[in-house]
Amino acid sequence: MSKLIFTCSKGYENNLENELVRNGFLSRSVFQGCIYAKSAEKAGKAAEDLCFPHFCMIDPVLIEGASVNTISREIAEKFFNINKTRKIESEWPFLILPNQSITGIGKRESAVEEQTGEYLRRIAGKIFRLAVHRLPEEQGINRGMILYFEDFDKVHLSSDFVWYGQKRVSDDPDAPSRSFMKVEEAYQAMGLHPSKNQTVCDLGAAPGGWSYSAAKKEAVVTAVDNGELKAGAKNNIRIARLAADAFSYIPDRTYDWLFCDMVEHPNMVLKLLEKWIDKKWCRYFIVNLKFGRVNPDELLEKLTSNSSYVKKRCLDLKVRHLFHDRDEITLMGRLE
Ligand SMILES: C[S@@+](CC[C@H](N)C(=O)[O-])C[C@H]1O[C@@H](n2cnc3c(N)ncnc32)[C@H](O)[C@@H]1O
C-alpha cells in the first residue's frame, strides 16, 4: 500500500476524487485543492497518468512542530535520512505545493523553505547546492523534495512524486486572448510544440490566441473561424484566416497540427477529432473540450477507457486538466 497526496485546481476536488476511485485508489480525506489517498500499487506506479491532479506526493511523511525552526530541522534530517542511500549528483527540485485553503500560510511556507535550506546546507552542503526551486524538466515520476503544509504546524514531506505537467505560464502583451496561455501550457504537458514551418490548422481560432502562439513558433497557420482575429494574430503574415464552419471544413492537405478550442458540445468536438484522425488530416493535436452540460467524469471515462477510439489511435495521448483550464479539459495527442 502506498500513501499518496494529490493536489488539483481548487473547485475540482470532486472530479479528482471520482477519477481516483475509478482508477482503483482509496480516497481518504478531501480538502480544498488536495486529496489524501491510498493505492494498492507500490510507489504510486498507477498514479502516473491521470487528468485532474497536478502533483502526487508518494509515501509522504508527516512532520509536526510548533516553530519554524523545529519543523525545518526535522524536514532537513528526514530528507537526509530518506536519501542516505541514494546518489544525488544532479539538480533536484525543492518545491512547496501551496495550500489553497489556509489564509496566511504563505509566509510560514516561505520561512520554512528558507530555514530548511539553512539546515540542509549545514548537514549536506554538497547535496543542497544541487537544489533548484523550479519544476522538473519532464513530467512523470520525479525525485526531489516536495512539501505540503496541512497546517501551520503540520507538514508532509516526500522525496518521490509525480508531476502531471501543469504549469502557470506567462501571458504575452500581443496575445489576443488568455487562451494563449492554455496552449502554451499544453506544449509543456505534451513535451512538444509546433516548430518552424510546420503547418497548423486552428479550428475555432478567433480571436487568435492559439494561432498567435503557433505563429510565434514560426509555424504556418490556417485559422478557421467566422469571428475576426485580433491583436497579434490580426494581419500576422504567418496566419491565414478562413471564414468557415469547422465541422464542414475539408482540408486540402495533411496538417502537422490540429488545434481546436471551440465552444461546442464536447461530443461533437470529439466526433470531429475522430474524423480528423480517421482521415489522417493531422499528425499531432491539441483539443480543448468544454464540459458544458456534459458530466466531466463521464466524458473523461469515455476518453480514457480502452474502447476510446482516440486513445486506440494515438501513440501517445495525454488528457489533462491544465492549470489554465476552467470547466474544460485538454487532449494532447501524437499519432505517429
Ligand atoms: C474560446 S474561443 C477560441 C479562442 C481561441 N483558441 C484563442 O486562443 O483566442 C471559441 C471560438 O470557436 C468558434 N467556433 C465555435 N463554433 C465554431 C464552428 N462550428 N466553426 C468555427 N468556429 C467555431 C467561435 O467563433 C469562437 O471564436
Side-chain angles (χ1 to χ4, degrees):
M1 267 276 168
S2 271
K3 247 173 51 178
L4 306 165
I5 295 181
F6 291 94
T7 61
C8 66
S9 290
K10 205 158 118 181
Y12 295 89
E13 301 80 7
N14 280 347
N15 301 110
L16 171 57
E17 187 174 30
N18 291 338
E19 184 182 18
L20 293 180
V21 171
R22 252 195 341 269
N23 283 278
F25 296 91
L26 228 96
S27 162
R28 292 172 57 238
S29 327
V30 182
F31 306 97
Q32 226 172 53
C34 177
I35 292 185
Y36 295 176
K38 276 193 169 174
S39 142
E41 302 259 347
K42 264 187 122 180
K45 227 20 209 130
E48 265 179 80
D49 191 27
L50 295 167
C51 170
F52 281 97
H54 293 190
F55 284 92
C56 169
M57 297 171 70
I58 300 170
D59 288 325
V61 289
L62 177 64
I63 290 161
E64 295 185 75
S67 69
V68 167
N69 205 36
T70 324
I71 296 178
S72 308
R73 193 178 53 230
E74 184 94 350
I75 292 174
E77 282 169 3
K78 281 247 160 56
F79 179 74
F80 183 69
N81 282 333
I82 294 170
N83 290 291
K84 219 161 41 188
T85 54
R86 292 176 174 173
K87 261 201 174 134
I88 302 181
E89 288 169 336
S90 52
E91 288 187 343
W92 53 273
F94 177 0
L95 303 171
I96 296 187
L97 306 183
N99 183 316
Q100 302 176 54
S101 59
I102 304 178
T103 323
I105 203 154
K107 269 194 179 158
R108 183 70 153 201
E109 291 169 345
S110 311
V112 168
E113 183 177 19
E114 200 182 321
Q115 190 62 35
T116 303
E118 229 2 90
Y119 278 117
L120 274 177
R121 206 190 321 270
R122 282 187 223 159
I123 319 175
K126 238 168 132 183
I127 293 175
F128 180 69
R129 276 195 289 280
L130 295 168
V132 289
H133 296 279
R134 59 166 184 266
L135 289 164
E137 291 296 317
E138 299 213 354
Q139 64 162 288
I141 294 206
N142 276 284
R143 219 168 240 183
M145 180 186 319
I146 303 287
L147 301 176
Y148 175 75
F149 282 68
E150 180 176 321
D151 213 330
F152 284 83
D153 54 356
K154 280 188 185 159
V155 186
H156 297 270
L157 154 72
S158 79
S159 225
D160 297 290
F161 66 99
V162 183
W163 174 48
Y164 297 89
Q166 291 92 339
K167 186 182 180 179
R168 185 199 288 267
V169 300
S170 348
D171 207 351
D172 177 317
D174 291 328
S177 64
R178 290 179 62 78
S179 292
F180 165 83
M181 292 191 279
K182 227 169 7 190
V183 81
E184 295 263 322
E185 186 189 356
Y187 304 152
Q188 169 74 42
M190 190 178 182
L192 206 64
H193 57 72
S195 50
K196 189 171 179 174
N197 294 332
Q198 278 193 329
T199 51
V200 177
C201 180
D202 185 3
L203 301 178
W210 287 27
S211 293
Y212 172 71
S213 160
K216 259 184 93 174
K217 303 240 175 265
E218 300 185 86
V220 182
V221 186
T222 304
V224 180
D225 202 309
N226 281 313
E228 295 287 336
L229 300 182
K230 295 188 177 150
K234 193 177 174 175
N235 303 324
N236 187 313
I237 51 159
R238 294 198 157 266
I239 305 175
R241 179 177 158 253
L242 196 68
D245 172 58
F247 292 102
S248 43
Y249 170 65
I250 301 198
D252 55 0
R253 74 197 96 162
T254 296
Y255 285 95
D256 291 306
W257 289 81
L258 165 68
F259 281 5
C260 181
D261 183 30
M262 293 192 291
V263 186
E264 292 278 7
H265 195 292
N267 290 342
M268 278 172 64
V269 177
L270 211 48
K271 274 255 158 309
L272 184 63
L273 171 61
E274 288 174 3
K275 182 161 108 182
W276 272 70
I277 293 174
D278 188 43
K279 304 265 187 204
K280 298 191 169 59
W281 285 340
C282 64
R283 298 165 54 220
Y284 309 99
F285 61 82
I286 299 178
V287 173
N288 185 276
L289 298 178
K290 327 274 175 201
F291 303 158
R293 271 181 245 136
V294 164
N295 178 327
D297 304 323
E298 285 171 15
L299 179 64
L300 181 60
E301 193 173 359
K302 180 170 152 182
L303 278 166
T304 51
S305 77
N306 287 336
S307 59
S308 151
Y309 178 79
V310 175
K311 188 175 164 184
K312 277 196 279 192
R313 292 293 302 272
C314 283
L315 289 184
D316 187 21
L317 173 71
K318 292 201 169 62
V319 184
R320 295 284 185 268
H321 187 241
L322 299 175
F323 176 88
H324 295 283
D325 278 343
R326 298 319 301 165
D327 283 350
E328 56 203 336
I329 48 178
T330 304
L331 275 57
M332 294 147 279
R334 192 163 63 81
L335 295 158
E336 57 183 56

